[in-house]
Amino acid sequence: MHKESGAQAIIRELEGGYSIQSGVFSAVNSKVTVALNPLGQFEAKVDPAALSASELEALARVSAMSNPDLDEDVLGKILFGAVPGIRHERLLGYYSQIYAGYVKTGDFRATSSSGGLATWLLVQLVEKGLVDGVIHVQPSGGEDGLLFRYAISTTVAQVRAGAKSRYYPMDLSQVLRAAKEAGGRYAVTGIPSFIMELRLLAEHDPDFKHAIAYTVGLICGHQKSTKYAEAIAWEHGIKPGSLRSVDFRKKIEGKSADEYITELKGLVGGTETTLAKEATEVFVSSWSHGFFKAKFSDFTDDLFNETADVALGDAWLPQYAGDYRGTNLVIVRNPVIAKIIDDGLAAGDLHLDVLSPELAVRSQPGLVRHAYDELPYRLARADRRGAWRPAKRVGASEDIPFLRKKIQDVREQIAEQSHIHYQRAVELDDWSYFVRKMKPLVDRHSLLYAITDARRILGKGLPYLAKRAFRGIRRRFGLTDSPR
Ligand SMILES: Cc1cc2nc3c(=O)[nH]c(=O)nc-3n(C[C@H](O)[C@H](O)[C@H](O)COP(=O)(O)OP(=O)(O)OC[C@H]3O[C@@H](n4cnc5c(N)ncnc54)[C@H](O)[C@@H]3O)c2cc1C
């Protein structure tokens, strides 16, 4: 079969809306600019007519969707394959240690979204002089319409001020330019596809190979647009344009780790107001619905940030999830990070339980099912439509249960239509328009889940009920020796 060129692939990737929009394209070619589009997503402006074939090929080489040769398996092997004692698991990628735990020292855990390991590790890298700065996410005040952006922190205080998960889009173009100009070595945080594109950039450009010293990866359900935060605020009275800050994960004493609240600050009727909302009070809160989801998130099979030096998430396991203070899942790949963690354990700064790879995978049931088990169906659906789609490490297949196909279909509709109907609702200045348009899809999603659950319970229960009935009949007609 004719293999398409990188130049062809990148054009189709952009046309199809599959790009990660991490900002690395601008780092490769300054003719590519990045801007927020009206749907609240970053978008690279690439004019194929203004770029030569070799320039387009260069973009493909740093794209997680169109790179012709390097996928996460190949890059993972280049990065970590030679680490003594390293192992590999299909979903986790390479790993040398896996833990569940949290930071014991100071208030790292209290001021972070989960167990605080991300911020603690970044602080260690700065304090030990292993990096000149940290490229991560800082609140940005909202003046230019953006609440968060990638920024370079050089002091421990700055690194600590950037703690917490930001369910918000951001791009790396400006910080990458600044880091290249300044020189030096940096630790970078990012969701899986961003880290993958940074690794591809480092393979492509020796300056970035030098600059990107360590990568601290986050596990990621999916990427949201800016409208996710805006919608939560609008539902509760802070109109679009009046939101000043969001804490997506405020821990509540006595609750379980996933019962965090969203805290919003903004203007309600001209008055500065702080709101705190539980997930049950927020129409767009369910991650399984996928409101405001970026398209690329449904076309990645990198669940555990396989090319990051360390991947961090939440240990969503029964033994940890009950603790409102948060517990990290920690997958270590780089020996320098392993040594920092060993030293932290020896000093009593960390509490970490060793976790098996099976338990690590089991800690992300929803993510594994949606992003991995059911990706083949999404690929097959794209193929059925005759559209271009990125090549993935899994093949296309329609072989998932009928109801799960329907759930995947309605999720696609929620993701796509939430962008469109929200934009219209803002034009109409009418939050209820958005709810009216989206509610039927949400209800269909709930109904499909209810049927799936009912079938599972009945599937388990029917043989048992049949056996009991059969035993009753035998007893009733004296066909049994003694009652059991
Ligand atoms: C969009 C998104 C989806 C996620 N989905 C899942 C999931 O499905 N399952 C799961 O187990 N974990 C998920 N996480 C990760 C989880 O929320 C925590 O970030 C992780 O457990 C680390 O917690 P911590 O307490 O160690 O981090 P903290 O100490 O709070 O530090 C987090 C660090 O990451 C940086 N950061 C925050 N948001 C971003 C971002 N969007 N991009 C780049 N850097 C960022 C911060 O600036 C900070 O330096 C997700 C995170 C994000 C941002």
Side-chain angles (χ1 to χ4, degrees), residues 10 13 24-25 58-67 197 200:
I10 199 77
E13 169 195 315
V24 299
F25 292 171
L59 297 187
R61 278 201 291 280
V62 298
S63 162
M65 292 290 171
S66 296
N67 184 285
E197 293 206 333
L200 290 170

Side-chain angles (χ1 to χ4, degrees), residues 260-312:
Y260 52 80
I261 59 165
T262 305
E263 188 178 85
L264 310 131
K265 291 189 179 164
L267 298 177
V268 178
T271 310
E272 290 285 351
T273 309
T274 301
L275 305 172
K277 294 293 156 196
E278 292 179 15
T280 51
E281 301 172 274
V282 175
F283 180 61
V284 297
S285 70
S286 168
W287 281 72
S288 73
H289 292 154
F291 276 98
F292 306 110
K293 191 195 295 185
K295 186 168 181 177
F296 77 79
S297 294
D298 268 346
F299 291 88
T300 176
D301 53 10
D302 178 359
L303 279 62
F304 290 91
N305 221 317
E306 293 175 50
T307 62
D309 290 315
V310 57
L312 297 161

Side-chain angles (χ1 to χ4, degrees), residues 112 114 116 118-119 136-137 162 164-166 189 219 221 249 313-314 364:
S112 289
S114 180
T119 302
H136 65 153
V137 178
K164 294 237 164 184
S165 304
R166 312 303 189 183
T189 64
I219 293 167
R249 287 180 59 162
D314 292 283
Q364 302 290 329

Side-chain angles (χ1 to χ4, degrees), residues 40-106:
Q41 298 175 312
F42 283 98
E43 199 175 307
K45 300 266 176 250
V46 181
D47 177 6
L51 300 182
S52 67
S54 65
E55 284 177 313
L56 288 169
E57 289 286 340
L59 297 187
R61 278 201 291 280
V62 298
S63 162
M65 292 290 171
S66 296
N67 184 285
D69 307 310
L70 299 173
D71 62 21
E72 290 82 353
D73 285 337
V74 180
L75 255 185
K77 192 164 185 184
I78 294 171
L79 293 163
F80 311 116
V83 172
I86 197 118
R87 278 156 290 172
H88 186 270
E89 199 276 343
R90 197 169 54 113
L91 282 172
L92 299 176
Y94 285 89
Y95 65 92
S96 46
Q97 288 90 16
I98 306 176
Y99 302 108
Y102 52 85
V103 183
K104 279 197 319 193
T105 188

